[in-house]
Amino acid sequence: SQTIHQWPATLVQPVGSPLSLECTVEGTSNPNLYWYRQAAGRGLQLLFYSVGIGQISSEVPQNLSASRPQDRQFILSSKKLLLSDSGFYLCAWMGRGRLGDGYTFGSGTRLTVV
Amino acid sequence: AQSVTQLDSQVPVFEEAPVELRCNYSSSVSVYLFWYVQYPNQGLQLLLKYLSGSTLVESINGFEAEFNKSQTSFHLRKPSVHISDTAEYFCAVSDWDDYKLSFGAGTTVTVRA
């Protein structure tokens, strides 16, 4: 069966520090991968998505970046965090060509920038 | 890409009372429709979906949603809620040929005894 792992679960980082959040998927190949952010009262904001290794599409300009070094690994990074980067970050995957299945989400990372 | 509107941001409801969460999307010929539920500090879980066929779809825990093409709506209902239904609910829509889902802003349901 397919599973998605996202870590860490919680993170407190000072302003200006770097960030690396990792997401991996097991039990499938060639998934579409997504990073979302939830800020309080602002719903889900799509940050990045990827349809293949090295292929990253950015939805919102910001100081975050994403990479997909392996087929089932998706990393969200920042060189210098801002207070506004605080939020709940969610990774999700979807089978290639399987839009009717919807997304499967990871358990999320609560990031607090102080 | 689709635009999704969830008309109610907060819905307080008493235990065993019915609840309806409204969802409307921008018009399109062919869409996939989803409802997700998110419990505090957790990821989103798929509650139910509409792909084609019968316009009424049901989940295993008593929720149902009805696809209305003419009104471009996909409202979620439950005839009798439990305390455990307290959560945030997201409506999501996608065109058949898209890579991603468009989400509504979410509706927080708070069930009180």
Side-chain angles (χ1 to χ4, degrees):
Chain A
S1 63
Q2 303 96 349
T3 56
I4 179 168
H5 302 281
Q6 190 179 341
W7 68 92
T10 59
L11 194 58
V12 180
Q13 292 283 95
V15 169
S17 64
L19 173 72
S20 180
L21 303 181
E22 188 164 343
C23 172
T24 60
V25 181
E26 296 178 356
T28 188
S29 58
N30 300 317
N32 288 353
L33 296 169
Y34 307 84
W35 277 112
Y36 282 85
R37 177 170 62 198
Q38 269 185 300
R42 297 187 62 182
L44 286 163
Q45 181 185 35
L46 178 61
L47 302 175
F48 302 94
Y49 70 94
S50 171
V51 298
I53 297 174
Q55 300 178 55
I56 308 295
S57 297
S58 175
E59 291 287 304
V60 181
Q62 62 231 320
N63 71 322
L64 299 172
S65 62
S67 61
R68 186 171 176 171
Q70 301 180 39
D71 180 45
R72 291 169 291 175
Q73 184 184 31
F74 204 24
I75 298 172
L76 183 69
S77 304
S78 173
K79 293 181 179 179
K80 289 186 178 181
L81 284 168
L82 306 173
L83 287 174
S84 58
D85 292 323
S86 293
F88 192 51
Y89 288 80
L90 289 161
C91 180
W93 76 273
M94 182 181 72
R96 185 68 54 82
R98 302 287 300 175
L99 191 56
D101 292 343
Y103 292 170
T104 299
F105 283 87
S107 55
T109 296
R110 175 74 58 189
L111 172 66
T112 304
V113 183
V114 296
Chain B
Q2 290 282 343
S3 173
V4 183
T5 302
Q6 290 184 243
L7 296 167
D8 307 295
S9 60
Q10 306 266 352
V11 174
V13 58
F14 286 106
E15 192 174 20
E16 298 183 3
V19 69
E20 179 180 74
L21 309 183
R22 295 177 291 171
C23 173
N24 288 90
Y25 59 95
S26 51
S27 62
S28 178
V29 175
S30 301
V31 293
Y32 292 146
L33 299 159
F34 305 84
W35 275 100
Y36 284 84
V37 59
Q38 184 182 32
Y39 300 102
N41 294 311
Q42 295 185 24
L44 280 70
Q45 303 171 31
L46 182 64
L47 188 59
L48 46 73
K49 63 183 178 183
Y50 171 80
L51 305 182
S52 64
S54 172
T55 58
L56 186 66
V57 291
E58 299 178 350
S59 72
I60 58 174
N61 56 354
F63 283 93
E64 63 181 28
E66 187 161 19
F67 168 55
N68 189 317
K69 186 175 182 178
S70 63
Q71 297 184 9
T72 59
S73 68
F74 191 53
H75 300 333
L76 181 71
R77 303 181 184 94
K78 188 171 185 179
S80 177
V81 296
H82 303 290
I83 298 290
S84 59
D85 293 323
T86 295
E88 190 162 16
Y89 294 80
F90 291 91
C91 180
V93 181
S94 179
D95 295 322
W96 283 6
D97 58 354
D98 203 350
Y99 291 125
K100 54 190 184 294
L101 304 183
S102 298
F103 285 87
T107 298
T108 299
V109 174
T110 303
V111 181
R112 303 168 181 171

